Amino acid sequence: MFCKPCAGGRNGHIICYPIDSSLKALLSSLKFVVGKPNVLDKDRFIARLLEIIDNEVHTNDGPFVRELEGALANYLGVPHCVAVANATLGLELVLNALPRKGQVIVPSFTFIASAHAIVRTGHTPVFVDVDSRGLIDPQAVAAAVGPETVAILPVNLFGLVCDVERLSDIASSAHARLIYDSAHALGVRSNGKNVGGFGWAEVFSLHATKVVSGFEGGFVTTSDGELARVLREARNFGFDKKGVIVALGTNAKMSEVHAAMALTNLEKIDWIIEHNAANFCVYQSELSELCALIEPQEGESSNYQYVPVIVATSDLRDKVFAKLIAKGIAAKIYFSPGVHSTVPYIRNNICRSHDLSRTIDISSRIICLPTGVHVDASGVRAIAQIFNEALL
Ligand code: T4K
């Protein structure tokens, strides 16, 4: 038994679950796992791998990276797609491209990377609260914008979509850039429009746990050609097309192996989303009325890669989590605590200036249940049964 200080649990709270230091050992001991990678065509990936070896181009804007960028731009209907090593670096590159340093408004209820990227690029995060589904609250954003605001960074959490219209209006009147953290939202649509086409830029993750895995990886979409050029230079140490150093760049390039994996899985995205959607329907019908599944709203279509559920109290949430783990079901507590109350933010006094009561409440009661290609309807029923029993 390994006690992990709160990847899952309230601030300062400790939950014990059977984790070995090796992920392999963990996975073999568990039946259903939040974040188990979706991989559907191993042969096609291996064929591409052999091609990479024969090509002798392993990285540095190779043919698979270009093919992936083209395929993603086409799938999302966006003019520019820039592949990067991961979404965290994608966020950093976009934030570095802002015309000046200042405040960036961000929800506290998010993965830590959304906020770290802001701080690591010399900006100051201003944490605001979320709505009842855990998405940034536009009213809170409107109250928080000011002369120091350089950007608003909403998060399309769990493959749900923020209120893009209101956020766009607020950003334009505040002369602030709108940068979406869409790490969870590949394949998601809002009122017929693909996520990827909103704001100044959107940043997606291709991490192993996401709907489309590239092992690791990410990409930025934008309709701003100048931003796309800056990002391409910045991901490659600051070299321009002619090989001249024109910027203080970094190494955020995607390798050919990562691109080949992402491309192979992207070819199956429709199938994966249909499968996740079917699992979600079973969760909807099987989960007890004593909890609330966070669902897409009318006009929204999710990729259903996350199954977030709000439980009545934090004690009950912890009880359900422990019971699931004991039964070999690796649920996850995404996200707790809110970023504003994690150690580095408290230590550096970047905590809370605005009301974050919904963040505190949701993060103490949320739990995410397994889905993905390794879970089918009978698996969902088994998970729901254990979940429901633990609620009683
Ligand atoms: N913005 C948002 C809103 C995000 O959620 C994220 C990342 C980012 C930005 C940054 O994206 P990247 O820079 O990563 O591209 C995981 C992921 O590491 C992270 O990518 C993700 N969000 C976050 C929500 O989840 P952890 O700490 O939960 O990772 P870990 O290792 O516990 O894995 C989660 C589960 O997945 C486990 O139950 C085991 C399973 N798993 C994981 C891996 C890596 C597997 O079965 N196989 C695997 O290879 O953060």
Side-chain angles (χ1 to χ4, degrees):
M1 191 72 105
F2 174 81
C3 290
K4 194 174 176 189
C6 231
R10 284 158 290 149
N11 195 19
H13 187 76
I14 293 189
I15 287 178
C16 297
Y17 51 100
I19 280 195
D20 189 272
S21 54
S22 113
L23 182 58
K24 180 100 179 72
L26 165 70
L27 292 177
S28 57
S29 71
L30 294 166
K31 276 191 276 252
F32 301 114
V33 177
V34 168
K36 193 175 248 198
N38 295 324
V39 181
L40 287 165
D41 196 341
K42 290 183 198 171
D43 291 343
R44 192 151 168 76
F45 171 66
I46 288 164
R48 285 180 160 140
L49 200 53
L50 295 174
E51 205 180 318
I52 292 168
I53 294 166
D54 289 346
N55 271 346
E56 296 177 335
V57 178
H58 293 185
T59 187
N60 289 10
D61 203 11
F64 279 114
V65 166
R66 287 177 181 219
E67 192 179 338
L68 175 67
E69 289 178 337
L72 285 165
N74 190 36
Y75 175 74
L76 296 173
V78 294
H80 305 282
C81 170
V82 181
V84 285
N86 54 62
T88 308
L89 282 170
L91 286 168
E92 289 190 18
L93 298 188
V94 175
L95 287 158
N96 261 330
L98 286 166
R100 66 185 169 100
K101 301 292 177 195
Q103 294 181 349
V104 178
I105 297 174
V106 65
S108 173
F109 185 63
T110 183
F111 188 56
I112 199 75
S114 321
H116 278 0
I118 296 170
V119 179
R120 289 171 55 80
T121 50
H123 299 284
T124 305
V126 173
F127 295 116
V128 294
D129 214 354
V130 287
D131 62 18
S132 56
R133 297 195 305 155
L135 298 172
I136 199 164
D137 176 359
Q139 224 172 308
V141 176
V145 289
E148 296 302 312
T149 309
V150 288
I152 301 167
L153 201 151
V155 182
N156 287 319
L157 205 67
F158 304 139
L160 302 165
V161 192
C162 300
D163 187 339
V164 288
E165 278 173 22
R166 282 178 73 193
L167 290 167
S168 167
D169 289 347
I170 297 165
S172 333
S173 22
H175 304 291
R177 304 280 191 176
L178 198 45
I179 302 165
Y180 280 98
D181 178 338
S182 294
H184 297 185
L186 178 55
V188 172
R189 293 167 72 81
S190 174
N191 295 315
K193 205 175 164 199
N194 290 320
V195 167
F198 299 115
W200 184 45
E202 295 203 44
V203 182
F204 293 81
S205 174
L206 297 168
H207 181 261
T209 54
K210 299 301 184 296
V211 66
V212 167
S213 163
F215 298 117
E216 287 272 4
F219 63 96
V220 183
T221 56
T222 180
S223 52
D224 181 340
E226 177 59 13
L227 174 63
R229 182 189 61 76
V230 166
L231 295 176
R232 286 181 191 289
E233 289 167 356
R235 76 175 175 185
N236 186 28
F237 309 102
F239 284 106
D240 73 3
K241 272 188 178 163
K242 293 179 189 149
V244 178
I245 308 268
V246 293
L248 274 173
T250 185
N251 184 354
K253 288 173 277 119
M254 178 184 277
S255 84
E256 287 291 276
V257 171
H258 294 90
M261 180 67 164
L263 200 51
T264 307
N265 289 324
L266 181 65
E267 286 162 359
K268 300 288 179 198
I269 189 169
D270 292 343
W271 192 94
I272 298 170
I273 292 177
E274 265 177 45
H275 181 89
N276 282 349
N279 281 347
F280 198 83
C281 283
V282 182
Y283 273 119
Q284 278 174 318
S285 64
E286 296 289 321
L287 282 179
S288 156
E289 285 169 6
L290 297 172
C291 65
L293 192 54
I294 301 185
E295 301 180 6
Q297 287 175 343
E298 211 184 313
E300 230 181 317
S301 79
S302 178
N303 57 30
Y304 302 97
Q305 180 67 9
Y306 292 87
V307 181
V309 184
I310 309 272
V311 177
T313 65
S314 57
D315 287 345
L316 203 49
R317 189 275 307 270
D318 293 352
K319 184 181 157 214
V320 169
F321 180 72
K323 185 73 184 280
L324 289 168
I325 295 291
K327 295 275 184 183
I329 293 157
K332 286 286 276 190
I333 299 210
Y334 290 141
F335 295 95
S336 181
V339 174
H340 72 281
S341 58
T342 58
V343 172
Y345 291 83
I346 295 171
R347 195 193 294 136
N348 292 300
N349 211 16
I350 316 169
C351 321
R352 50 190 296 192
S353 46
H354 297 274
D355 175 32
L356 297 173
S357 44
R358 274 212 207 93
T359 298
I360 293 164
D361 178 44
I362 294 183
S363 59
S364 74
R365 296 195 289 127
I366 197 156
I367 181 166
C368 288
L369 301 178
T371 192
V373 300
H374 78 295
V375 185
D376 63 9
S378 67
V380 173
R381 280 190 206 98
I383 296 166
Q385 192 183 344
I386 295 165
F387 186 96
N388 292 343
E389 281 168 12
L391 280 182
L392 298 174

